Amino acid sequence: MLGNKVSRQKPCHHCKSRSASAPPDTSTIHYEKFWLYRHCSSVQQRDRQAQKAGQLFSGLLAMNVVFLGSAFISSMIFNHVAITLADVWILLSILKVLCLCWIIYYLLGTSQQPHAVLYRDSHAGPIWIRGSVLLFGSFSILLNVFQIGYSTILIQCKSRVDIVFPSIEILFICSQAFFLWRHSKDCIQVQHNLTRCGLMLTIATNLLLWLLAVTNDTIHMETESQLREVEQEFAGKAPFSYPYLCNKTALCTCPNTTICKVFQKGYILLYPFNTEYCLVCCSVLYVMWKNVGRRISHHHVPHINPKFKLQGVVFGPLLGVTAVITGICVFMMYQIQATSSAPNRQVFVMYYSYYIVLLPLMSVGAVIGTIIHALEKRELDTLKNPTRSLDVILLMGAALGQIGMSYFSIVAIVATDPRDLLNSLILSYSVLLIFQNITQNVFIIDGLHRQPFISPGTEEEMKEEQNHEPYDQRRVSMLELGQEIRKVSLSYLHSYSHLSWKRRALREISFFLVLCNIILWVMPTFGAHPVFENGLEKSFYGYSTWFAIVNFGLPLGVFYRMHSVGGLLEVYVTA
């Protein structure tokens, strides 16, 4: 059904070694064909229509896979007798094996063909994104190792699927991490439709793994919360049991050994890293999918790769480290109270007070940064950039989680008792959180659309590039270069003296916001969930309704903080 790709001229094998950044000859371009548009008179028009059709069919493939997997996972949650967790694992294992086969074929076949990668997207797969893939992937591998160890200890009441599934998961994580590290910048020019379908299948598989990880983590949260309420309500009475817990899991208890407790606790605590890994991989794979068949123009100013430096940044790291240390202390005190017994009122007051102090500082910093962007004379980057477009969509979409929960909290508090101390703190926290999300999004998005500042070292790099040219060419070009440098030097130094304080302020603000977003990611990721445990919204909306709201908003909020770190680092290095 999907058409094959053809070349206007058979490529020569010696051209394979050509640099991907060099503009290729038009004879090496592989134009796409699709059987629905085989009668188009123009080759370029047929190529564009075939590209849209390929994206449509690969998107439909991913949509059907996601709906099928979501139906399995939902059936497991609401009817765990007919559809068990093992059934979901079997389905996901089949999908992961298919993805593994395609990744291996891409690495050994597609990417090795002549003229396969004529272009590379310099914006795609920055180092901190690929580093996040490796970091979260390593913790996800450790999670699966804990799961294998835990299932091995309880092998008498566990099925073989409990060991096979995490083993396949480890292979999938390793191969996917290597694939994204090496090929995240590729603009593949051969086997377009097969590559699109493979990428979309991998995206769908990661989304289903994220959905399963979120449901397993939230089921654990729900179980602990219910058991805590049962202990308070039925203290001194006969043991109370839930039908969900009176299943095979209740009979499969961990023996009183240290190694089993370590496997069990580590298996639970590492789940947030697995969810982040799946979402980060989805974002990188989506950019690769958009870049399939993309031909980058080389007639614009070449992309500048700014380097991460801490020179001239003092107040941002100082304030950020202070916020991180204070947040860790608040988080530890909250966790001690939450694990020993139900959190008391003073712990909630302390937790929300920390947020009420921190969020206005972050909002003010983002507003000042946006004003500085408006005062700058840097040009806007209007070139097509799938990575930046995805960053904007993810920032706006992920922010809906925290904003949605905040509005639900505002309605619940205003309708009950807004004058109470704790309620007034929650109300202030919700309003400030909405404002902080909006101001930070404006600051990041505006910064991502700015051209990077050219540092003085760029001129030296231009000289070094000239030194690699033949002597005859260099003798002429050096005279022109010297004249240009003399013309620009005075105006450059003048503009540098006027822009230095703006760039320094942008770096201070960006670095401060990076550290703040890291601590705001750590606290809900590792168990601090006062929005579910304070009891106000839960009593107003009902347990099931509020749990569904938190189940939707909390994972998005965690992803928003982590994705904001990447956007702020981009703003920092381009300032």
Side-chain angles (χ1 to χ4, degrees), residues 65-80:
V65 172
V66 169
F67 279 140
L68 175 63
S70 301
F72 263 76
I73 295 174
S74 301
S75 301
M76 176 200 69
I77 296 174
F78 298 110
N79 191 355
H80 53 273

Side-chain angles (χ1 to χ4, degrees), residues 259-457:
I259 186 65
C260 186
K261 298 295 184 182
V262 169
F263 283 150
Q264 185 184 39
K265 198 64 178 177
Y267 170 73
I268 293 172
L269 289 179
L270 289 175
Y271 251 110
F273 293 101
N274 193 27
T275 59
E276 293 298 318
Y277 171 78
C278 295
L279 292 177
V280 172
C281 288
C282 285
S283 63
V284 180
L285 289 166
Y286 176 79
V287 174
M288 290 186 65
W289 178 76
K290 292 288 290 184
N291 281 332
V292 172
R294 182 185 175 197
R295 292 180 282 275
I296 301 175
S297 174
H298 292 267
H299 298 290
H300 55 77
V301 180
H303 176 67
I304 302 169
N305 292 314
K307 296 181 180 180
F308 183 84
K309 297 179 181 179
L310 289 176
Q311 297 177 355
V313 182
V314 178
F315 299 103
L318 184 62
L319 292 176
V321 170
T322 303
V324 169
I325 295 175
T326 307
I328 292 175
C329 296
V330 172
F331 172 72
M332 292 179 64
M333 295 178 65
Y334 180 88
Q335 283 297 100
I336 292 173
Q337 288 287 334
T339 53
S340 61
S341 61
N344 54 33
R345 186 182 180 88
Q346 287 74 19
V347 174
F348 286 124
V349 171
M350 175 189 64
Y351 186 92
Y352 285 112
S353 299
Y354 170 75
Y355 270 83
I356 290 174
V357 173
L358 183 61
L359 291 176
L361 294 177
M362 297 175 65
S363 301
V364 170
V367 171
I368 295 175
T370 305
I371 295 174
I372 293 176
H373 277 153
L375 296 176
E376 277 191 313
K377 297 181 180 180
R378 282 192 294 167
E379 294 291 335
L380 293 177
D381 188 0
T382 58
L383 296 174
K384 182 180 179 181
N385 189 342
T387 304
R388 183 175 58 210
S389 302
L390 178 64
D391 287 337
V392 173
I393 293 173
L394 292 178
L395 281 172
M396 300 299 293
L400 295 178
Q402 291 183 326
I403 293 176
M405 287 195 301
S406 297
Y407 276 116
F408 277 102
S409 298
I410 291 172
V411 172
I413 294 170
V414 172
T416 52
D417 186 13
R419 298 177 182 177
D420 181 72
L421 174 61
L422 181 58
N423 291 356
S424 61
L425 289 176
I426 299 175
L427 180 62
S428 303
Y429 158 80
S430 301
V431 174
L432 291 173
L433 187 62
I434 294 172
F435 186 70
Q436 192 275 325
N437 276 260
I438 295 174
T439 54
Q440 182 172 273
N441 279 353
V442 173
F443 172 64
I444 295 176
I445 294 172
D446 193 20
L448 292 177
H449 285 81
R450 297 282 175 172
Q451 291 278 6
F453 182 83
I454 302 177
S455 61

Side-chain angles (χ1 to χ4, degrees), residues 67-361:
F67 279 140
L68 175 63
S70 301
F72 263 76
I73 295 174
S74 301
S75 301
M76 176 200 69
I77 296 174
F78 298 110
N79 191 355
H80 53 273
V81 177
I83 301 295
T84 63
L85 181 60
D87 299 326
V88 177
W89 279 353
I90 292 173
L91 173 65
L92 292 178
S93 297
I94 295 173
L95 294 175
K96 283 185 286 189
V97 169
L98 292 175
C99 294
L100 276 172
C101 294
W102 173 77
I103 290 174
I104 294 173
Y105 177 76
Y106 183 93
L107 294 174
L108 302 180
T110 304
S111 62
Q112 301 300 320
Q113 292 190 15
H115 313 300
V117 185
L118 295 173
Y119 309 89
R120 291 177 66 84
D121 186 358
S122 57
H123 297 279
I127 186 63
W128 47 81
I129 294 295
R130 289 182 291 156
S132 300
V133 171
L134 294 183
L135 176 63
F136 295 137
S138 302
F139 282 111
S140 298
I141 292 173
L142 186 60
L143 178 145
N144 287 278
V145 170
F146 283 164
Q147 185 176 359
I148 294 173
Y150 181 70
S151 300
T152 303
I153 294 176
L154 303 176
I155 192 63
Q156 70 278 3
C157 59
K158 294 280 188 179
S159 64
R160 296 185 182 273
V161 181
D162 295 277
I163 299 177
V164 174
F165 177 79
S167 302
I168 299 176
E169 175 80 2
I170 291 176
L171 294 176
F172 177 71
I173 292 172
C174 293
S175 60
Q176 183 175 244
F178 176 79
F179 166 69
L180 295 179
W181 181 265
R182 291 288 303 274
H183 298 279
S184 60
K185 297 179 179 292
D186 289 0
C187 299
I188 199 72
Q189 301 296 323
V190 298
Q191 299 181 350
H192 303 82
N193 291 325
L194 177 62
T195 304
R196 287 193 184 99
C197 291
L199 288 169
M200 271 298 169
L201 180 63
T202 311
I203 289 174
T205 303
N206 279 281
L207 284 176
L208 292 176
L209 290 172
W210 171 79
L211 182 60
L212 179 64
V214 168
T215 53
N216 275 359
D217 188 35
T218 50
I219 286 174
H220 170 73
M221 289 165 47
E222 181 179 14
T223 302
E224 280 196 345
S225 178
Q226 287 180 345
L227 290 177
R228 189 182 298 123
E229 290 181 357
V230 167
E231 291 175 358
Q232 295 175 355
E233 185 175 353
F234 297 94
K237 298 183 180 181
F240 186 84
S241 61
Y242 283 88
Y244 183 85
L245 301 177
C246 295
N247 202 351
K248 182 179 178 180
T249 309
L251 303 175
C252 209
T253 57
C254 190
N256 192 17
T257 58
T258 305
I259 186 65
C260 186
K261 298 295 184 182
V262 169
F263 283 150
Q264 185 184 39
K265 198 64 178 177
Y267 170 73
I268 293 172
L269 289 179
L270 289 175
Y271 251 110
F273 293 101
N274 193 27
T275 59
E276 293 298 318
Y277 171 78
C278 295
L279 292 177
V280 172
C281 288
C282 285
S283 63
V284 180
L285 289 166
Y286 176 79
V287 174
M288 290 186 65
W289 178 76
K290 292 288 290 184
N291 281 332
V292 172
R294 182 185 175 197
R295 292 180 282 275
I296 301 175
S297 174
H298 292 267
H299 298 290
H300 55 77
V301 180
H303 176 67
I304 302 169
N305 292 314
K307 296 181 180 180
F308 183 84
K309 297 179 181 179
L310 289 176
Q311 297 177 355
V313 182
V314 178
F315 299 103
L318 184 62
L319 292 176
V321 170
T322 303
V324 169
I325 295 175
T326 307
I328 292 175
C329 296
V330 172
F331 172 72
M332 292 179 64
M333 295 178 65
Y334 180 88
Q335 283 297 100
I336 292 173
Q337 288 287 334
T339 53
S340 61
S341 61
N344 54 33
R345 186 182 180 88
Q346 287 74 19
V347 174
F348 286 124
V349 171
M350 175 189 64
Y351 186 92
Y352 285 112
S353 299
Y354 170 75
Y355 270 83
I356 290 174
V357 173
L358 183 61
L359 291 176
L361 294 177

Side-chain angles (χ1 to χ4, degrees), residues 407-542:
Y407 276 116
F408 277 102
S409 298
I410 291 172
V411 172
I413 294 170
V414 172
T416 52
D417 186 13
R419 298 177 182 177
D420 181 72
L421 174 61
L422 181 58
N423 291 356
S424 61
L425 289 176
I426 299 175
L427 180 62
S428 303
Y429 158 80
S430 301
V431 174
L432 291 173
L433 187 62
I434 294 172
F435 186 70
Q436 192 275 325
N437 276 260
I438 295 174
T439 54
Q440 182 172 273
N441 279 353
V442 173
F443 172 64
I444 295 176
I445 294 172
D446 193 20
L448 292 177
H449 285 81
R450 297 282 175 172
Q451 291 278 6
F453 182 83
I454 302 177
S455 61
T458 306
E459 295 177 354
E460 298 178 0
E461 294 176 1
M462 293 170 61
K463 292 180 181 179
E464 293 178 0
E465 290 178 359
Q466 294 291 334
N467 291 333
H468 294 287
E469 296 179 356
Y471 177 75
D472 293 335
Q473 297 179 6
R474 187 170 68 246
R475 185 171 55 186
V476 178
S477 58
M478 285 298 293
L479 295 175
E480 298 176 354
L481 180 62
Q483 293 175 358
E484 291 296 327
I485 291 177
R486 281 192 295 270
K487 291 178 181 178
V488 173
S489 58
L490 292 177
S491 60
Y492 171 76
L493 292 174
H494 179 74
S495 61
Y496 179 80
S497 62
H498 282 277
L499 290 176
S500 60
W501 71 269
K502 299 176 186 177
R503 297 190 354 263
R504 191 181 305 114
L506 285 175
R507 290 197 168 204
E508 299 278 8
I509 293 170
S510 300
F511 204 94
F512 170 69
L513 292 178
V514 165
L515 294 177
C516 291
N517 277 275
I518 289 176
I519 188 60
L520 295 185
W521 173 80
V522 168
M523 296 175 73
T525 298
F526 292 97
H529 306 127
V531 293
F532 190 73
E533 295 169 345
N534 60 41
L536 174 66
E537 298 92 343
K538 186 165 55 177
S539 61
F540 183 83
Y541 292 105

